[in-house]
Amino acid sequence: MNPPPAGAARGAGDPTRGVGARAAALAGAPVRAARPVGGGDISAAHRLELADGRRVFAKTRAGAPADFFAAEAHGLRLLTDTGTVPVPAVLGEEPGMILLEWIEPGPAAPAQAERLGRDLAALHATPAAAFGTPWPAYIGSLPLPSPGTPDTPGPPDPAPEPPPEHTGHAPASPADWPAFYAGHRLLPFLRLATDNGALTPADTRAVERLCGVIDEVTGPPQPPAVIHGDLWSGNVQWSAGDRAYLIDPAAQGGHPEVDLAFLELFGCPQLGRLLAAYEEVRPLPGRRGRVPLYQLHHLLVHAALFGAGYGAQCGAAARAALKGAGR
């Protein structure tokens, strides 16, 4: 999700209050120093120094659903298990908090961008068991529905290791993608955005019309692949090392072009190098014409979360996707 406006408060009062004791319990070491850092508009973020010399990153969110950070942990482990992209190690999580490896930030260097492009291509070549997730997932603060999972917050997973598995009814065929994308990534957020007044009736009708011809616009058949799921530029952590990390995922089985389209939506440093390196490994003929279609999911999420400022973009993306398909 987008960062908050500069200077915006991140929660009431001292955001580090209580964080140290909880982080110490998860890390197994006392905290000797803590300070708030930037971390987005959904959660509060903190850099902690432990007594054993480690530096760690803690995210907290007051009032978060009990399984909110368990979902992030599942996603990070899903990405880790592919062996393709660097992500911060999960040190522990509990309702309202996740504790991660600290990644020392660095500049967006050309070599890191090119390596990230190749890493993403490798990630997207990794098969997923099905579209969606077998656990209750989130995009920003909103539930991210999948077949067979609840679309409202539920109790914490009593056994987070290993993560749940897809059922035999999960959509796992390339032929399932168009209906999954319309039914689980577009229409639920269209309803939220329309209900909060973010979209005009004309823009709502454009998205509905697109969903009505979704089989004709989604491109070549695509089996479920492991994707980050929330890959805007703020979720790329350029590091002081030689590789860029992916953070804050909504990892799932999905379509690789969704990640690439969102990476382009708000701009990204070194984007041209990154995409060129990606397509050297994994060419995607015709992708440019499908960018509006695959940006629409995140535009609708933003309209649902942040209101009318994104509503016109939703309608424009739907019309561009229809036009690109000759509709």
Side-chain angles (χ1 to χ4, degrees), residues 1-4 41-42 139-142 185-186 189-190 192-194 196-199 229-235 262-263 265-266 295-314:
M1 295 297 100
N2 270 331
D41 55 344
I42 302 298
I139 183 82
S141 59
L142 299 175
R185 295 296 176 264
L186 298 183
F189 301 101
L190 174 65
L192 290 173
T194 301
N196 72 10
L199 268 70
D230 193 11
L231 193 56
W232 72 292
S233 59
N235 284 341
F262 196 22
L263 199 58
L265 184 58
F266 300 124
Q295 287 181 338
L296 184 55
H297 163 54
H298 288 96
L299 285 170
L300 288 168
V301 170
H302 277 70
L305 282 170
F306 304 119
Y310 291 96
Q313 286 181 265
C314 295

Side-chain angles (χ1 to χ4, degrees), residues 107-118 238 242-244 270 273 277:
Q112 281 196 31
E114 291 169 2
R115 179 64 187 270
L116 178 58
R118 294 190 292 272
W238 306 100
D242 59 0
R243 296 178 76 181
Q270 306 288 351
R273 286 178 182 272

Side-chain angles (χ1 to χ4, degrees), residues 100-130:
L100 304 172
E101 171 190 12
W102 172 261
I103 306 300
E104 192 64 31
Q112 281 196 31
E114 291 169 2
R115 179 64 187 270
L116 178 58
R118 294 190 292 272
D119 288 346
L120 275 175
L123 174 69
H124 292 162
T126 305

Side-chain angles (χ1 to χ4, degrees), residues 24-124:
L26 287 174
V31 173
R32 67 184 181 191
R35 62 177 172 85
V37 294
D41 55 344
I42 302 298
S43 301
H46 321 269
R47 178 186 184 274
L48 308 177
E49 295 181 12
L50 305 182
D52 62 11
R54 288 181 290 164
R55 288 172 292 178
V56 299
F57 179 75
K59 281 202 303 185
T60 61
R61 183 181 168 216
D67 52 11
F68 184 79
F69 286 117
E72 182 173 343
H74 288 325
L76 286 166
R77 290 172 181 133
L78 176 62
L79 297 180
T80 298
D81 289 347
T82 68
T84 59
V85 291
V87 300
V90 179
L91 306 178
E93 52 86 12
E94 64 179 21
M97 171 182 274
I98 189 168
L99 195 66
L100 304 172
E101 171 190 12
W102 172 261
I103 306 300
E104 192 64 31
Q112 281 196 31
E114 291 169 2
R115 179 64 187 270
L116 178 58
R118 294 190 292 272
D119 288 346
L120 275 175
L123 174 69
H124 292 162

Side-chain angles (χ1 to χ4, degrees), residues 186 190 198-210 265 288-297 299-300 303 308-325 327:
L186 298 183
L190 174 65
L199 268 70
T200 65
D203 289 334
T204 295
R205 287 194 297 273
V207 178
E208 291 173 337
R209 184 168 162 238
L210 176 66
L265 184 58
R288 175 55 46 193
R290 296 185 291 273
V291 169
L293 171 70
Y294 288 127
Q295 287 181 338
L296 184 55
H297 163 54
L299 285 170
L300 288 168
Y310 291 96
Q313 286 181 265
C314 295
R319 294 183 188 95
L322 287 163
K323 183 178 180 181
R327 301 291 299 200

